[in-house]
Amino acid sequence: MKLAEFTDKHNAFREEVREFAKKELLSESTQIDRKGEFPWHIINKIKERGWLGVPFPEKYGGLGLDTTSYIILVEEIARVCASTAIMIAAHVSLACQPLYAHGTEEQKEKYLIPLACGEKVGSFGLTEANAGSDAGATETTVKLIGDKWIINGNKRFITNGTIADIIVFTASQDRTKKTHGISAFIVEKGTKGYEAGKEEDKMGLRGSITSELHFEDCELPKENLLGEEYEGFKVFMETLDGGRISIGVLALGIAQGALDYGIKYAQEHDLNGKPLYKFQWVQKIVADAATEIMAARHLIYHAAMLKDKGEKRITEEGAIAKLYASEIATRVCYKLHSILGEDGLTRKYPMERFLRDTKLMEIGEGTSEIQRIVIARQILGK
Ligand code: CAA
């Protein structure tokens, strides 16, 4: 499906990524899921193409394209392998983006450039055991002692956790101030007192890494503060506004991948001697899925294009896109699954993987309930 607003450059970039996904990833995606191992061999090929820094200027190690191109990249990769796509999304929109938007020139030089050109992997440490949906309840603490920040605490469910070289994370300087007591920092792998911990054994996105992060009297130099003191919550919320578009497009890519496969299966299989695609119930599932996918695609690219036009705040548009796309993706995958009948219950076909992979989209970067709170507050006020 083409949207009227895509430029020739966008369409050409989509073709390039689609070709890559077909040639390099399609035959690997089942094994990536089965083995549950991070697909370094694929990420290395993605890195060689400069795709780990798509929306950042060339002077910061990026490709100098726009947010829409980055969203196209995630969609086309997720259509084939969501485990690979989420690695890219967490790296680009959660780790590189806040460094680009809030980092000093020195921080961009030291951290953004190696991330955007793919030499290093990034991650985003916000969630904690007691601070998931309520991100302002952060229990990780930070104290300025002399000219060092001393960090103590633990993060959970961090995408790219154990493989990340550079991590942006939040800690509270004053827990009584809640969201207004939080600051953002940058830590590098190998820093004394910092360690990534246990990896989760997830139901979906099994080739991606999700782990804990631990800080025990971790010392960071003063210059590792990201943005202003006590402004970390806003830095992270603004980052999530953009991040939610990439979770939305991940959901869209998974739904499109499921539809691609549902159509293929319906064209290649019969039921009692009649081709499956000729049954009205199959046509209804396919038509409904295509309609919902197209609606989600409009919402997602609308939010991305607003960002490209320089819109300062896309809180509402990002949350609407993510909420809608993640919910239709679950519905669409579930319904398409029934085209396969009992075959859908086996691991011989990729449909069950799409169904497992899509669930995270309704949870990561804010649950559907949180998106509804965010949207309602934008419309009605707090
Ligand atoms: N941009 C800029 N500033 C923002 C903002 C935004 N999008 N959202 C809030 N703020 C500002 C507010 O204006 C407010 O500032 P003032 O008090 O100065 O006016 C301040 O931040 C506090 O905001 P709220 O009062 O709205 O904060 P809250 O405590 O009521 O919570 C919330 C808001 C929406 C529930 C928030 O906690 C939230 O989004 N929670 C979900 C967290 C989340 O998405 N976690 C996902 C983790 S990352 C992940 O999952 C990645 C992965 O690996 C898959």
Side-chain angles (χ1 to χ4, degrees), residues 46-76:
I46 286 174
K47 171 172 109 181
E48 280 164 20
R49 287 161 173 79
W51 292 349
L52 292 181
V54 168
F56 306 106
E58 289 175 36
K59 75 168 184 164
Y60 294 129
L63 270 193
L65 301 180
D66 55 9
T67 301
T68 303
S69 304
Y70 156 66
I71 293 298
I72 288 171
L73 168 74
V74 180
E75 181 184 350
E76 291 300 324

Side-chain angles (χ1 to χ4, degrees), residues 183-194:
S183 298
F185 298 89
I186 308 160
V187 66
E188 282 180 87
K189 192 181 216 165
T191 304
K192 194 161 165 269
Y194 163 72

Side-chain angles (χ1 to χ4, degrees), residues 114-183:
L115 286 173
C117 70
E119 273 166 27
K120 297 204 167 166
V121 172
S123 77
F124 175 87
L126 176 66
T127 303
E128 299 182 5
N130 296 316
S133 288
D134 186 7
T138 299
E139 290 177 345
T140 296
T141 59
V142 55
K143 286 193 171 51
L144 186 62
I145 300 182
D147 60 354
K148 301 264 187 242
W149 299 107
I150 310 295
I151 322 281
N152 280 288
N154 303 293
K155 301 284 176 182
R156 278 199 80 184
F157 301 123
I158 308 303
T159 305
N160 294 345
T162 51
I163 56 164
D165 304 291
I166 296 166
I167 303 96
V168 295
F169 70 98
T170 49
S172 180
Q173 282 183 267
D174 182 348
R175 291 198 53 217
T176 64
K177 291 189 176 146
K178 301 197 169 162
T179 58
H180 295 280
I182 294 173
S183 298

